Amino acid sequence: MCRYVRAFEHAPVFGVSLDKVRFVVFDTETTGFDPVHDSVISIGAVALRGGSIDVHDSFEVLVCRETAGDRDAVTVHGLLRRDLVAGISEDEAASRFVEYAGNSVLVAQHADFDIAMMNRVLKRHYGLQLFNDVLDTASLAKRLEKGPYYNLAHKSGEYRLDSLLERYDIRLFDRHTAAGDAFLTAQLFQRLLQSAGESGIRTLGDLLLK
Amino acid sequence: MPSNTIVERVAADLVRYPPFEQLDQELLQDLASSVSVTYHQEGETIFRKGDQLRECAFMVMKGAVRLFENIDEREVLVDLCDEGDIFGVRAIFARQDYVLTAQVAEETLLYEIPVDKITMLLQQSPGAALFFAREFARSVEEIEHSLTEAMEGAGRDLHGLSCHSFLENETLEVRQVSNVATCSPDISIQDAAGIMAERNIGSIIVVSGEGHPLGIITDTDLRKKVVAVPGSVKEQPVSEIMSSPVYTITGGRTIADMVMLMVKTKLRHFCVTEDGSVDSPVTGIISEHDIITSEGNNPAVIMKAVMQADHRDELREQRDKAESLLRLYISQDVAVHFISSIITEINDALITRAIEFAFADLDERHDGQRPETPFCWLSLGSEGRREQLLRTDQDNAILYEDPPPDREDAVHAYYLELGSIVTGILQHCGFVRCPADMMASNPQWCRPVSVWKGYFRKWVSAPEPKAVMNSTIFFDFRPVYGASWLASELKQDIFAAIDRSRGFLQFFAKNALQNPPPLGFFRNFLVEKSRDHANEFDIKARAMMPLSDAARVLAYELNVVEYLSTVERFKKLSLLIPGMKDLCHEAAFAYEFLMKLRAVNGLETSSSGRYIKPESLDKLERQMLRNVFSTIEKVQKALNLRFQLDYIRT
């Protein structure tokens, strides 16, 4: 945890070329969609650097919980009770994740939710929250396809992960496991980065609008 | 530790394509965890000719990549890779730079596999090692020799395997095993295995109280479902692991039926019941082993039946049996040279018997008078080369000793009559008449030896491209019946004629270069050097003829007197031309592969097998074909150089 905090001692360099940046594309599976009452069941992530998804640099943990959650979530995520019991504790999971992520840019589909979930866990056990720069693939896709001022409210369906994967011709598999979704999101992000390059986005600052 | 879910996902992608499909789980997972995934858009360059080698090889997961070379500022396409193709393997074996440029032809997803992982794999999986070596051998000469040897080794194993089929007996029905081992569904797996071990049998049928079949347990089930599973599975009832339902048939099936059924269902055990349904009592079982070792499938039996046949209908029946034998051998992966020699023996016996029938007919018509001048029956073309697997057009001729001048017409008329009767019988047996009428029933091709010598001398001394092309099948003549010394005399005369006019060999060689091989396949298309894609593949004209033509030219150049097949010619040539030793071995292997592919295709499509739909080929066959194409190209280059054909204009 200390190592994680220390990794942010230096201010981020937004002028750096996108090729040099390590992105950690991640996804969390939760018991529900309320960051206050629901909790994290599993975290999956894979790193992308220089346009290349590195399978070796990937991450997956299952969180063990005393109560095995409500039935709905169990079916949605395809996790059996014994898988949950076989997992590690919530604080250990959070600590391993931030260790893995370091000061990389975090990328997720509808990132606000996953970040909120992670922050809640970190706050409860360690009294801190994520310092990383964050990028949302849905917003990035929207920005690249329609420009920055497009109103997403009416047609949010177009930017669901399933719709995006279909639109970018990415073969579906393992939906609803955190690691499976992270791998798919990484492939989506890989294509978005390519398209960003064509739109003249060269540096991390360009990408994060900073 | 990398994510299991992601690693498994990548492994599931890799395992779909050779050589990874044969890897065991542990190696596969290790390999998958080392993969990097990259995405490229059309027009992007992966590497350029002259670039330093990367630390990885590439597998196309989606999209397509072109590999080309720049020669004199012109792009020469070398390969097009699509899903499942691997490129950049040079990085595994070589230490220099890339020799080709790889450019993305359409939006592509690549799996980059680190070289050190592949190197490790090469040591642990011989199958994968052979695969990568083959891929690499396509561009590099050095290791081809060892490669050809490795492949020949594999061929020898197949040959050994085929000897099981030689058993002596005479029935043609598959004999079912009638004292079938059965058990009830509730006995334990352990007990069932005990029965099988005790009776030394490979399967046991699970039956209901009335004796109706419910399922079957085989060696394979025990191996895969029991031994591989931890825990006390052995105590569970057999119904847990049995394969169900069982494929049931009625008794009294012929071998041909059973072979077809086996090929169609891909099953290895068939349960015989009283009325052929699962709702009647079990009376027997027929296994793959029973079918293969069935007496009627013995070529010796077919030969004997042919030689003792009393009527042309019997000949036809036996020839049909030979085809079911062929089907069986092909499905069992028996070596092609072995199959073709058996089929040739049977065909020759059939021709011999047909000639005997014809003589009997003629004796009746001519009061037993036969000409005193001896004759020889010649098979031409592929049959002359002992390469016929499926029945194709008949090509044959009659050669007889020069008769005294006053008997010329009578002798010619007699042998022509013979030729007509024999070709008629052959037609009855399923050998279609030659559309160009190159048959012994044609007055032009039923001639005394002096006339035949005249034909060949003319072809040799004044060759014109069209005449050379039409006469190639005659150069593959082989004596099948009668005075074979006439054929030898003719052959010697041809050699002498060729010696007198060297220009002929150049024409002959030029003819062999008419069809350049394609580059390979791209999805369901053939990739051509000149045009882009073509839809169907003529395996005879585009792959087999270039090789058989080349072998023929060289065999005639070097006065090879024996009547050999293309494969045998190449093997002989490898001894006669030391500089082409490795290439000749490679060509022999390539030709065998093509013969087999053609036979498989012919059996599947009930045709001569000549036209192949690229989509019917699997990844490995495509890879093999691609290698074959590059072999053909090398053979053609060698021929070009040897006869200095670049200097000739036609």
Side-chain angles (χ1 to χ4, degrees):
Chain A
M1 202 49 67
C2 292
R3 226 177 313 161
Y4 172 68
V5 177
R6 233 177 285 131
F8 290 90
E9 278 171 0
H10 304 286
V13 188
F14 293 121
V16 68
S17 155
L18 284 177
D19 277 356
K20 304 276 185 287
V21 179
R22 177 177 182 257
F23 295 95
V24 164
V25 186
F26 81 110
D27 184 54
T28 59
E29 297 302 341
T30 57
T31 52
F33 299 104
D34 179 356
V36 181
H37 298 105
D38 286 311
S39 54
V40 173
I41 297 170
S42 69
I43 311 169
V46 64
L48 186 147
R49 190 198 296 262
S52 166
I53 300 170
D54 185 357
V55 175
H56 199 69
D57 191 3
S58 59
F59 175 87
E60 183 170 19
V61 286
L62 291 173
V63 181
C64 116
R65 296 161 61 248
E66 285 110 51
T67 52
D70 61 291
R71 281 191 152 276
D72 290 344
V74 168
T75 42
V76 168
H77 306 306
L79 294 172
L80 297 174
R81 273 150 210 264
R82 67 162 182 276
D83 286 337
L84 297 179
V85 174
I88 56 176
S89 64
E90 194 180 68
D91 60 326
E92 175 70 15
S95 144
R96 284 199 204 170
F97 176 70
V98 296
E99 181 108 336
Y100 165 77
N103 65 356
S104 299
V105 178
L106 292 177
V107 180
Q109 171 72 7
H110 296 310
D112 289 352
F113 175 73
D114 297 287
I115 295 289
M117 289 305 297
M118 287 309 300
N119 277 341
R120 204 180 138 264
V121 172
L122 285 166
K123 179 122 198 212
R124 183 163 61 207
H125 296 286
Y126 301 101
L128 51 75
Q129 52 183 18
L130 291 165
F131 304 126
N132 306 61
D133 287 307
V134 174
L135 196 74
D136 173 30
T137 40
S139 308
L140 179 61
K142 191 206 73 166
R143 179 176 144 205
L144 293 168
E145 289 175 13
K146 313 275 189 179
Y149 305 110
Y150 183 72
N151 187 348
L152 205 65
H154 305 296
K155 289 190 171 178
S156 59
E158 276 183 54
Y159 292 93
R160 285 204 324 259
L161 186 55
D162 283 309
S163 316
L164 283 168
L165 293 175
E166 195 187 329
R167 193 145 77 242
Y168 285 85
D169 198 16
I170 295 163
R171 201 157 41 90
L172 289 183
F173 59 86
D174 288 345
R175 282 301 321 271
H176 304 301
T177 68
D181 273 8
F183 191 39
L184 286 168
T185 308
Q187 290 179 55
L188 170 65
F189 183 55
Q190 194 172 36
R191 284 161 174 75
L192 294 176
L193 272 183
Q194 181 97 27
S195 145
E198 285 159 20
S199 313
I201 296 172
R202 303 258 177 270
T203 65
L204 184 57
D206 295 342
L207 186 69
L208 298 173
L209 295 171
K210 279 182 182 170
Chain B
M1 218 178 70
S3 150
N4 270 333
T5 309
I6 298 177
V7 169
E8 267 165 33
R9 184 59 238 164
V10 171
D13 282 337
L14 293 176
V15 82
R16 282 159 53 212
Y17 303 110
F20 305 123
E21 57 203 354
Q22 46 190 331
L23 285 192
D24 67 47
Q25 205 53 29
E26 202 177 316
L27 285 173
L28 187 67
Q29 298 267 340
D30 186 43
L31 190 74
S33 72
S34 72
V35 161
S36 295
V37 186
T38 58
Y39 167 79
H40 307 273
Q41 284 191 317
E42 186 181 330
E44 225 178 283
T45 301
I46 311 288
F47 53 73
R48 272 198 182 75
K49 179 177 178 174
D51 280 0
Q52 208 185 338
L53 294 176
R54 297 267 306 272
E55 284 297 307
C56 60
F58 305 84
M59 187 173 223
V60 181
M61 270 302 134
K62 177 173 172 294
V65 173
R66 310 165 57 232
L67 295 174
F68 60 87
E69 198 172 351
N70 283 308
I71 297 173
D72 301 334
E73 296 185 23
R74 211 165 45 89
E75 266 186 21
V76 178
L77 185 64
V78 176
D79 206 352
L80 244 175
C81 298
D82 61 60
E83 284 85 359
D85 284 333
I86 293 179
F87 66 94
V89 293
R90 195 174 169 75
I92 305 165
F93 298 99
R95 285 285 156 263
Q96 304 91 17
D97 306 332
Y98 285 112
V99 292
L100 298 171
T101 300
Q103 191 183 45
V104 177
E106 59 184 61
E107 194 180 51
T108 289
L109 196 68
L110 293 179
Y111 277 7
E112 299 183 357
I113 308 167
V115 164
D116 53 355
K117 282 287 170 192
I118 297 178
T119 312
M120 222 170 68
L121 194 65
L122 298 184
Q123 285 150 16
Q124 288 166 1
S125 160
L130 188 61
F131 177 92
F132 281 108
R134 264 188 230 144
E135 281 290 285
F136 183 63
R138 300 203 296 125
S139 57
V140 176
E141 310 286 340
E142 299 96 82
I143 59 169
E144 269 164 17
H145 178 63
S146 57
L147 184 67
T148 318
E149 275 188 346
M151 286 172 168
E152 282 200 334
R156 266 198 296 278
D157 291 348
L158 288 177
H159 194 169
L161 188 127
S162 66
C163 293
H164 292 298
S165 314
F166 283 94
L167 291 173
E168 286 289 332
N169 216 315
E170 291 201 348
T171 48
L172 286 165
E173 210 169 84
V174 182
R175 201 189 305 154
Q176 68 193 53
V177 174
S178 44
N179 56 339
V180 197
T182 59
C183 67
S184 69
D186 48 11
I187 75 165
S188 73
I189 293 167
Q190 190 150 31
D191 288 348
I195 297 172
M196 286 165 70
E198 192 182 304
R199 295 184 50 179
N200 194 22
I201 47 175
S203 63
I204 186 165
I205 294 185
V206 181
V207 293
S208 67
E210 303 92 51
H212 298 179
L214 300 171
I216 186 168
I217 293 171
T218 64
D219 280 347
T220 319
D221 293 324
L222 290 180
R223 230 176 15 251
K224 290 202 173 147
K225 297 180 188 164
V226 180
V227 181
V229 178
S232 58
V233 185
K234 294 187 187 79
E235 308 302 327
Q236 291 178 20
V238 285
S239 55
E240 287 289 313
I241 61 156
M242 68 183 183
S243 308
S244 177
V246 203
Y247 199 104
T248 52
I249 53 171
T250 50
R253 298 296 190 100
T254 66
I255 293 140
D257 284 348
M258 292 310 299
V259 170
M260 289 291 286
L261 196 61
M262 212 166 70
V263 172
K264 211 171 70 193
T265 60
K266 306 211 188 307
L267 292 173
R268 301 173 59 189
H269 294 86
F270 300 91
C271 177
V272 184
T273 61
E274 264 177 26
D275 69 358
S277 80
V278 289
D279 298 318
S280 72
V282 174
T283 59
I285 184 168
I286 296 175
S287 69
E288 180 186 40
H289 181 261
D290 299 330
I291 299 165
I292 293 168
T293 57
S294 252
E295 302 81 357
N297 263 332
N298 184 339
V301 174
I302 298 179
M303 287 284 288
K304 204 164 157 191
V306 166
M307 288 187 286
Q308 294 173 348
D310 293 325
H311 193 268
R312 54 173 68 185
D313 287 345
E314 277 174 60
L315 289 182
R316 183 183 179 113
E317 197 182 297
Q318 293 306 319
R319 188 55 185 79
D320 290 343
K321 268 174 203 156
E323 193 140 316
S324 82
L325 185 69
L326 169 67
R327 197 178 284 275
L328 177 73
Y329 283 163
I330 294 279
S331 74
Q332 295 296 313
D333 233 353
V334 173
V336 172
H337 54 85
F338 174 78
I339 309 175
S340 61
S341 65
I342 284 175
I343 299 287
T344 303
E345 291 297 319
I346 293 172
N347 283 348
D348 287 359
L350 191 137
I351 292 168
T352 302
R353 194 68 191 138
I355 292 171
E356 286 165 2
F357 284 171
F359 271 129
D361 273 11
L362 288 169
D363 282 351
E364 257 177 51
R365 290 183 211 173
H366 300 275
D367 293 329
Q369 294 290 311
R370 296 186 190 182
E372 278 168 19
T373 41
F375 89 109
C376 179
W377 181 275
L378 301 178
S379 282
L380 310 173
S382 64
E383 182 61 24
R385 296 194 307 268
R386 309 170 195 265
E387 285 169 10
Q388 212 169 69
L389 293 179
L390 294 161
R391 278 168 281 192
T392 56
D393 304 346
Q394 43 174 313
D395 299 308
N396 42 47
I398 287 176
L399 167 69
Y400 52 90
E401 196 177 35
D402 289 330
D406 59 317
R407 296 276 299 142
E408 269 174 16
D409 289 348
V411 171
H412 183 240
Y414 183 90
Y415 283 127
L416 198 57
E417 219 177 330
L418 179 85
S420 296
I421 298 172
V422 174
T423 53
I425 296 174
L426 292 179
Q427 194 182 355
H428 182 74
C429 294
F431 296 92
V432 181
R433 298 181 69 81
C434 170
D437 204 18
M438 289 166 176
M439 294 195 298
S441 53
N442 181 341
Q444 203 186 347
W445 310 127
C446 173
R447 288 292 176 184
V449 70
S450 61
V451 174
W452 274 108
K453 284 179 185 171
Y455 288 158
F456 278 100
R457 283 177 196 168
K458 186 161 169 269
W459 287 327
V460 169
S461 63
E464 46 166 313
K466 203 165 159 58
V468 168
M469 201 176 80
N470 291 333
S471 64
T472 52
I473 71 158
F474 291 101
F475 283 88
D476 289 337
F477 69 82
R478 175 173 62 91
V480 172
Y481 181 97
S484 62
W485 53 266
L486 288 169
S488 314
E489 188 187 323
L490 179 60
K491 198 154 208 175
Q492 287 306 331
D493 196 71
I494 299 170
F495 286 142
I498 290 174
D499 238 17
R500 286 192 300 273
S501 54
R502 288 294 286 188
F504 167 74
L505 284 172
Q506 289 181 317
F507 272 94
F508 219 26
K510 186 99 190 165
N511 177 62
L513 303 185
Q514 285 190 93
N515 272 323
L519 279 177
F521 292 98
F522 172 62
R523 308 225 169 96
N524 293 332
F525 297 100
L526 207 57
V527 184
E528 304 281 0
K529 261 184 206 127
S530 43
R531 290 161 288 152
D532 266 343
H533 305 309
N535 227 333
E536 71 187 354
F537 175 48
D538 179 348
I539 191 175
K540 183 182 173 191
R542 297 302 303 278
M544 298 179 79
M545 273 170 57
L547 288 174
S548 60
D549 285 350
R552 182 187 309 109
V553 172
L554 294 168
Y556 271 97
E557 185 204 353
L558 298 165
N559 292 4
V560 175
V561 292
E562 300 96 326
Y563 306 99
L564 301 178
S565 70
T566 300
V567 171
E568 289 163 339
R569 276 174 177 165
F570 276 122
K571 286 185 176 160
K572 179 99 188 173
L573 291 166
S574 74
L575 303 172
L576 297 175
I577 317 173
M580 282 179 70
K581 183 170 165 243
D582 296 343
L583 184 55
C584 285
H585 279 298
E586 210 182 302
F589 175 80
Y591 200 80
E592 276 212 358
F593 171 76
L594 293 168
M595 282 176 71
K596 176 162 176 192
L597 197 62
R598 180 174 175 182
V600 169
N601 183 52
L603 290 174
E604 274 169 10
T605 58
S606 304
S607 69
S608 72
R610 178 168 178 175
Y611 297 99
I612 290 186
K613 288 198 174 74
E615 65 264 30
S616 71
L617 300 170
D618 66 30
K619 204 82 207 170
L620 200 62
E621 286 168 331
R622 286 170 190 228
Q623 191 219 8
M624 296 282 279
L625 261 181
R626 225 161 48 180
N627 293 341
V628 166
F629 294 155
S630 82
T631 300
I632 296 170
E633 196 177 355
K634 278 186 272 179
V635 168
Q636 293 194 333
K637 270 188 187 151
L639 217 58
N640 204 44
L641 199 68
R642 190 172 180 88
F643 296 99
Q644 308 201 321
L645 296 177
D646 283 341
Y647 305 108
I648 303 185
R649 300 239 171 89
T650 51

